[in-house]
Amino acid sequence: MDRHFPTICVVLTILLVMAVMPAAYAVSDINDTVEITFPVAGPNRYSDDYQQIRGGGSRRHQATDIYGVKGQAIHAAASGRVCMAPGINEPMPAYGYIIRICTGNVVYGYHHLNNDSPGTDDGAGGYRNAYAPGIQVGATVREGQLIGYMGDSGNAEDTPVHLHFSIFDQDLVDPEIAESPWRQHYLNPYNSLVAAERAGRVPSSTSGALKTGASGSSVADWQADLNTAIDAGLATDGAFGPATEAATREFQQQEGLTVDGIVGPASRAAMERRLDELGQEPSNKPPGSSSSTGFPGRALRLEDPMLQGQDVRAWQQRMAERGWRGADGAPLAVDGFFGPDSQRAARLFQEEKGLTVDGIVGPATWAEAFS
Ligand SMILES: [Zn+2]
């Protein structure tokens, strides 16, 4: 028995070492590369500015600044849970709008999100111009998901618009950052950003073209337009699938455009002309006064910017009449904007009625509300 003891000790030591090793990845050097998705969609520029001296020499930068334009889309570099998103239903703190996404011992930081009204530098944009819909403390986000918009809040008001992107890893213990002016555990994101771009882990720009895989009200609008223009017979479900692509190609062919199944500016302009000839308005114009209670033809869902229109108002009115309330306990606001309260009411309603619970007011949910 005793002669086995050293062997047992070795085995136990190995097991113990394995147990304390971080599960995800182990970084030991501030310049190590971790696998992330590039957090900014569209044109941008950045450099290795981790070592730059800030605060009059009191601290180092320890992040990467990614420069772009105000309102540019910011996407999650990695999946996790939102552990910081200040300024929702409270004033914006002096340090600005920030998102932190926590996963294990790693925290991804996104600083200086937009605090201005569109097209201004008024500092009065509120959190809806900073955070994507659904972003709040506790929300789960997946890698590549839209989380917010680039801006200049906090101590970036007098600098060019940029995202200050940081990666904090509790397991990182590089001797170089063990002492002041360094703050411990901050990885240099630069190499990981370069690697993400080289590997093509880059979010697609959310503005402009629609193609297979896209979803949302802009797709539903396009489907409705195709139905009007070429009698495509598509479901206006907001999901750009093979049928929508085929109909788009057919329309492009009829119009003498490049036939690629992608809805860019040329296809949109052609659609506007075609609908004009037919005496119709494109569906992306705010819906007019739909007096009937039939399904309006577009799914109502939480988007950014929020869906707005008489159809939203009609649904809210109906829900309020039926006693549905917002998160604050007051009757659901009938304001024509499909916001978080509307989404919440839709979900609870769907749950009660045994419908698919997705918070989206499609034909079935609409019909049930007006039944
Ligand atoms: Zn910075």
Side-chain angles (χ1 to χ4, degrees):
M1 175 89 185
D2 271 356
R3 65 198 168 89
H4 290 300
F5 186 67
T7 313
I8 291 166
C9 278
V10 168
V11 169
L12 284 177
T13 304
I14 290 170
L15 286 174
L16 183 66
V17 167
M18 285 171 70
V20 299
M21 274 167 57
Y25 57 78
V27 293
S28 56
D29 184 296
I30 55 170
N31 290 309
D32 278 353
T33 299
V34 297
E35 192 174 313
I36 56 172
T37 283
F38 195 84
V40 171
N44 65 82
R45 61 191 193 285
Y46 63 99
S47 62
D48 187 358
D49 56 359
Y50 179 89
Q51 309 258 4
Q52 281 182 6
I53 296 163
R54 299 286 166 92
S58 63
R59 59 189 165 85
R60 299 285 180 149
H61 185 234
Q62 295 193 262
T64 301
D65 287 343
I66 305 171
Y67 292 86
V69 296
K70 206 173 274 186
Q72 194 163 348
I74 297 170
H75 295 248
S79 301
R81 192 169 282 270
V82 177
C83 47
M84 183 178 187
I88 298 176
N89 299 324
E90 63 181 9
M92 183 192 78
Y95 50 78
Y97 290 118
I98 289 176
I99 296 175
R100 284 194 182 141
I101 296 176
C102 295
T103 172
N105 283 338
V106 184
V107 182
Y108 296 87
Y110 309 80
H111 292 229
H112 311 311
L113 272 53
N114 178 41
N115 66 328
D116 298 313
S117 305
T120 76
D121 191 21
D122 64 1
Y127 74 92
R128 286 195 173 91
N129 283 298
Y131 305 139
I135 294 300
Q136 56 184 329
V137 171
T140 302
V141 299
R142 58 180 198 289
E143 185 172 336
Q145 181 180 332
L146 175 70
I147 56 171
Y149 311 99
M150 200 185 286
D152 61 3
S153 69
N155 64 8
E157 285 290 354
D158 299 319
T159 69
V161 169
H162 69 278
L163 168 68
H164 172 102
F165 175 65
S166 64
I167 305 175
F168 174 97
D169 187 337
Q170 193 68 53
D171 297 321
L172 171 63
V173 279
D174 185 329
E176 191 175 349
I177 55 170
E179 290 176 25
S180 179
W182 299 97
R183 291 168 299 162
Q184 287 185 53
H185 311 306
Y186 276 97
L187 190 73
N188 180 356
Y190 179 76
N191 290 334
S192 303
L193 290 167
V194 171
E197 284 198 304
R198 287 205 178 125
R201 291 191 303 273
V202 177
S204 59
S205 177
T206 53
S207 62
L210 300 175
K211 56 184 177 183
T212 295
S215 63
S217 71
S218 51
V219 175
D221 288 341
W222 179 249
Q223 291 168 327
D225 290 346
L226 285 170
N227 289 346
T228 307
I230 62 168
D231 201 13
L234 296 169
T236 52
D237 57 3
F240 202 117
T244 305
E245 183 179 326
T248 300
R249 285 176 179 274
E250 190 186 329
F251 175 72
Q252 289 171 328
Q253 190 150 23
Q254 289 181 13
E255 292 290 327
L257 302 166
T258 306
V259 179
D260 57 7
I262 298 171
V263 185
S267 295
R268 285 189 189 285
M271 179 61 81
E272 220 162 305
R273 281 195 310 272
R274 177 78 78 94
L275 295 176
D276 198 42
E277 285 163 19
L278 295 169
Q280 304 274 342
E281 291 260 315
S283 299
N284 58 4
K285 296 264 164 60
S289 54
S290 154
S291 55
S292 82
T293 54
F295 183 62
R298 67 167 179 176
L300 308 181
R301 67 177 84 203
L302 188 58
E303 290 202 356
D304 192 3
M306 283 184 209
L307 292 186
Q308 180 191 5
Q310 288 301 325
D311 49 356
V312 177
R313 185 183 293 275
W315 176 79
Q316 289 171 328
Q317 180 74 45
R318 179 68 176 170
M319 293 293 280
E321 282 165 13
R322 297 183 69 166
W324 289 87
R325 291 176 179 275
D328 58 1
L332 188 64
V334 183
D335 57 7
F337 285 90
F338 197 92
D341 265 6
S342 291
Q343 185 191 48
R344 178 174 172 276
R347 281 180 171 279
L348 293 171
F349 180 76
Q350 289 167 331
E351 211 168 277
E352 187 182 292
K353 300 296 177 187
L355 300 163
T356 305
V357 180
D358 56 8
I360 300 169
V361 183
T365 303
W366 181 278
E368 187 65 46
F370 286 91
S371 68

